[in-house]
Short mmCIF file of all heavy atoms in Angstrom, two decimals:
data_model
loop_
_atom_site.label_atom_id
_atom_site.label_comp_id
_atom_site.label_asym_id
_atom_site.label_seq_id
_atom_site.Cartn_x
_atom_site.Cartn_y
_atom_site.Cartn_z
N PRO A 115 3.29 -6.01 2.36
CA PRO A 115 3.40 -5.95 0.90
C PRO A 115 4.33 -7.04 0.38
O PRO A 115 5.11 -7.62 1.15
CB PRO A 115 4.03 -4.57 0.67
CG PRO A 115 4.78 -4.27 1.91
CD PRO A 115 4.08 -4.99 3.04
N LEU A 116 4.26 -7.30 -0.91
CA LEU A 116 5.17 -8.28 -1.53
C LEU A 116 6.35 -7.53 -2.14
O LEU A 116 6.17 -6.46 -2.72
CB LEU A 116 4.42 -9.05 -2.63
CG LEU A 116 3.24 -9.89 -2.16
CD1 LEU A 116 2.54 -10.52 -3.35
CD2 LEU A 116 3.68 -10.97 -1.18
N PHE A 117 7.53 -8.10 -2.00
CA PHE A 117 8.72 -7.50 -2.62
C PHE A 117 9.30 -8.45 -3.66
O PHE A 117 9.23 -9.67 -3.50
CB PHE A 117 9.79 -7.19 -1.55
CG PHE A 117 9.43 -6.00 -0.71
CD1 PHE A 117 8.90 -6.17 0.56
CD2 PHE A 117 9.57 -4.72 -1.20
CE1 PHE A 117 8.55 -5.07 1.33
CE2 PHE A 117 9.22 -3.61 -0.43
CZ PHE A 117 8.71 -3.78 0.84
N TYR A 118 9.87 -7.85 -4.71
CA TYR A 118 10.38 -8.63 -5.83
C TYR A 118 11.40 -9.70 -5.38
O TYR A 118 11.22 -10.88 -5.62
CB TYR A 118 11.01 -7.66 -6.86
CG TYR A 118 11.75 -8.35 -7.97
CD1 TYR A 118 11.05 -8.96 -9.01
CD2 TYR A 118 13.14 -8.39 -7.98
CE1 TYR A 118 11.73 -9.60 -10.04
CE2 TYR A 118 13.83 -9.02 -9.00
CZ TYR A 118 13.13 -9.63 -10.02
OH TYR A 118 13.80 -10.25 -11.03
N THR A 119 12.46 -9.27 -4.66
CA THR A 119 13.54 -10.21 -4.37
C THR A 119 13.05 -11.32 -3.44
O THR A 119 13.20 -12.51 -3.75
CB THR A 119 14.73 -9.50 -3.66
OG1 THR A 119 14.94 -8.28 -4.30
CG2 THR A 119 15.96 -10.35 -3.67
N PHE A 120 12.51 -10.93 -2.31
CA PHE A 120 12.15 -11.94 -1.32
C PHE A 120 10.99 -12.82 -1.79
O PHE A 120 11.04 -14.05 -1.68
CB PHE A 120 11.82 -11.29 0.02
CG PHE A 120 11.83 -12.30 1.12
CD1 PHE A 120 13.03 -12.66 1.73
CD2 PHE A 120 10.67 -12.94 1.52
CE1 PHE A 120 13.06 -13.63 2.71
CE2 PHE A 120 10.70 -13.92 2.49
CZ PHE A 120 11.90 -14.26 3.10
N HIS A 121 9.97 -12.18 -2.33
CA HIS A 121 8.76 -12.96 -2.62
C HIS A 121 8.77 -13.64 -3.98
O HIS A 121 8.14 -14.67 -4.16
CB HIS A 121 7.53 -12.06 -2.46
CG HIS A 121 7.34 -11.60 -1.06
ND1 HIS A 121 7.79 -10.39 -0.61
CD2 HIS A 121 6.81 -12.23 0.02
CE1 HIS A 121 7.53 -10.27 0.68
NE2 HIS A 121 6.94 -11.37 1.09
N GLN A 122 9.51 -13.07 -4.95
CA GLN A 122 9.51 -13.74 -6.25
C GLN A 122 10.72 -14.64 -6.44
O GLN A 122 10.68 -15.58 -7.20
CB GLN A 122 9.48 -12.70 -7.36
CG GLN A 122 8.09 -12.09 -7.49
CD GLN A 122 7.99 -11.25 -8.74
OE1 GLN A 122 8.56 -11.56 -9.76
NE2 GLN A 122 7.27 -10.15 -8.63
N LEU A 123 11.83 -14.33 -5.76
CA LEU A 123 13.03 -15.13 -5.97
C LEU A 123 13.28 -16.10 -4.83
O LEU A 123 13.38 -17.29 -5.02
CB LEU A 123 14.26 -14.23 -6.15
CG LEU A 123 14.19 -13.22 -7.29
CD1 LEU A 123 15.49 -12.43 -7.36
CD2 LEU A 123 13.94 -13.92 -8.61
N VAL A 124 13.37 -15.58 -3.60
CA VAL A 124 13.80 -16.43 -2.48
C VAL A 124 12.71 -17.39 -2.03
O VAL A 124 12.97 -18.54 -1.75
CB VAL A 124 14.25 -15.55 -1.28
CG1 VAL A 124 14.69 -16.41 -0.10
CG2 VAL A 124 15.39 -14.65 -1.68
N SER A 125 11.48 -16.92 -1.97
CA SER A 125 10.46 -17.73 -1.30
C SER A 125 9.50 -18.43 -2.24
O SER A 125 8.46 -18.88 -1.81
CB SER A 125 9.66 -16.85 -0.34
OG SER A 125 10.39 -16.68 0.82
N THR A 126 9.83 -18.55 -3.50
CA THR A 126 8.86 -19.12 -4.43
C THR A 126 8.46 -20.54 -4.07
O THR A 126 7.31 -20.85 -3.91
CB THR A 126 9.40 -19.11 -5.87
OG1 THR A 126 10.78 -19.44 -5.79
CG2 THR A 126 9.19 -17.78 -6.54
N SER A 127 9.46 -21.41 -3.88
CA SER A 127 9.09 -22.82 -3.74
C SER A 127 8.72 -23.20 -2.31
O SER A 127 7.88 -24.04 -2.08
CB SER A 127 10.22 -23.70 -4.24
OG SER A 127 11.44 -23.26 -3.69
N GLN A 128 9.34 -22.59 -1.30
CA GLN A 128 9.09 -23.02 0.07
C GLN A 128 7.77 -22.48 0.62
O GLN A 128 7.23 -22.99 1.57
CB GLN A 128 10.24 -22.56 0.96
CG GLN A 128 10.19 -23.07 2.38
CD GLN A 128 10.23 -24.59 2.43
OE1 GLN A 128 10.97 -25.22 1.70
NE2 GLN A 128 9.41 -25.17 3.28
N GLY A 129 7.24 -21.43 -0.02
CA GLY A 129 6.03 -20.83 0.53
C GLY A 129 6.43 -19.77 1.53
O GLY A 129 7.53 -19.80 2.08
N LEU A 130 5.52 -18.85 1.78
CA LEU A 130 5.88 -17.70 2.63
C LEU A 130 5.78 -18.06 4.11
O LEU A 130 4.93 -18.84 4.52
CB LEU A 130 4.94 -16.54 2.33
CG LEU A 130 5.04 -16.01 0.91
CD1 LEU A 130 4.02 -14.92 0.68
CD2 LEU A 130 6.44 -15.49 0.65
N THR A 131 6.67 -17.45 4.90
CA THR A 131 6.58 -17.64 6.35
C THR A 131 5.52 -16.66 6.88
O THR A 131 5.11 -15.75 6.16
CB THR A 131 7.92 -17.31 7.01
OG1 THR A 131 8.21 -15.95 6.75
CG2 THR A 131 9.03 -18.19 6.50
N ILE A 132 5.18 -16.82 8.18
CA ILE A 132 4.17 -15.91 8.75
C ILE A 132 4.66 -14.47 8.61
O ILE A 132 3.92 -13.58 8.18
CB ILE A 132 3.95 -16.23 10.25
CG1 ILE A 132 3.42 -17.64 10.41
CG2 ILE A 132 2.96 -15.23 10.87
CD1 ILE A 132 3.34 -18.10 11.85
N GLY A 133 5.91 -14.25 8.94
CA GLY A 133 6.44 -12.89 8.97
C GLY A 133 6.58 -12.23 7.61
O GLY A 133 6.72 -11.02 7.53
#
Side-chain angles (χ1 to χ4, degrees):
L116 297 176
F117 287 101
Y118 171 76
T119 317
F120 196 83
H121 296 96
Q122 285 190 36
L123 302 182
V124 179
S125 280
T126 39
S127 48
Q128 187 61 41
L130 297 177
T131 62
I132 299 172

